[in-house]
Amino acid sequence: MQPHVAHGDLEPHNILITDQGRACLAYVVQSEQEDTQFRTPTGQLVWGGTLNYMAPELHKAVNNATRHSVNKRACDMYALGCTIYAAYTGRDPFHVLTPRQVIQGERPDFPKDVISPDMWSFVENLWSSNPSERLTAKKALAWMEHKATGEGMDISLPTFEKEWEWKPCNDHGGPFCTA
């Protein structure tokens, strides 16, 4: 995709599922008045995002220069790993860890009762502490397609236009809504 795009706040609340089962990324802002930067309990200055889904390098950001040098696409892949963990377990990925532990590379234990070993390996490759070791979106997609095909799933999807009908909508104050 050119230019490269990063979401910046990938987490379960920002994923909408169509009636046909397609996951669509959204960005849900809780309040326009909310400050987009805050300090973690360990004192690091961070910008936006959902704390338990933010890559360690974002927790370490101490100024704008540091923040802008972070590979945001690698951060999204980290957040994808966290989101998959949450989907399988029903819990935030680091509900029992502190931001300091996350920065130091600690991760939740393997929940063998709900995640298969191959899916766990996939998650670990997404949330590596080292951004250069994380899977790219292209490699992650190839793994997911291979896995789905191997399980006999149809990976073809209808076009977006068949799933959503956009029409003017003044009922909710927004310009469009789905039918």
Side-chain angles (χ1 to χ4, degrees), residues 40-62:
T40 68
T42 57
Q44 286 85 18
L45 182 64
V46 292
W47 287 264
T50 302
L51 196 59
N52 282 348
Y53 294 80
M54 291 171 63
E57 57 271 25
L58 289 173
H59 286 279
K60 295 176 188 177
V62 294

Side-chain angles (χ1 to χ4, degrees), residues 117-138:
D118 58 334
M119 181 58 76
W120 184 249
S121 176
F122 179 63
V123 168
E124 288 183 312
N125 283 308
L126 291 168
W127 70 17
S128 171
S129 292
N130 184 343
S132 65
E133 293 176 1
R134 292 180 199 141
L135 292 176
T136 62
K138 187 175 186 174

Side-chain angles (χ1 to χ4, degrees), residues 3 12 37 46 75 82 90 101 138-139 141 146:
Q37 62 184 29
V46 292
C75 292
C82 295
Q101 290 173 302
K138 187 175 186 174
K139 288 181 180 179
L141 178 61
H146 174 76

Side-chain angles (χ1 to χ4, degrees), residues 96-159:
V96 296
L97 299 175
T98 66
R100 186 177 309 277
Q101 290 173 302
V102 174
I103 291 168
Q104 293 170 343
E106 292 187 42
R107 300 292 179 266
D109 292 332
F110 173 24
K112 297 176 182 132
D113 55 329
V114 293
I115 299 179
S116 67
D118 58 334
M119 181 58 76
W120 184 249
S121 176
F122 179 63
V123 168
E124 288 183 312
N125 283 308
L126 291 168
W127 70 17
S128 171
S129 292
N130 184 343
S132 65
E133 293 176 1
R134 292 180 199 141
L135 292 176
T136 62
K138 187 175 186 174
K139 288 181 180 179
L141 178 61
W143 185 89
M144 288 185 280
E145 287 176 339
H146 174 76
K147 178 80 171 153
T149 302
E151 293 181 5
M153 297 174 71
D154 178 9
I155 62 171
S156 62
L157 294 172
T159 63

Side-chain angles (χ1 to χ4, degrees), residues 6 21 25 28-29 32 38 54 61 64 68 70 78-79 86 89 109-110 121 135 149 153 155-157 163 175-176:
L25 296 181
V28 181
V29 178
E32 291 180 22
F38 55 93
M54 291 171 63
N64 272 334
H68 289 295
V70 170
Y78 178 93
T89 65
D109 292 332
F110 173 24
S121 176
L135 292 176
T149 302
M153 297 174 71
I155 62 171
S156 62
L157 294 172
E163 293 184 58
F176 295 96

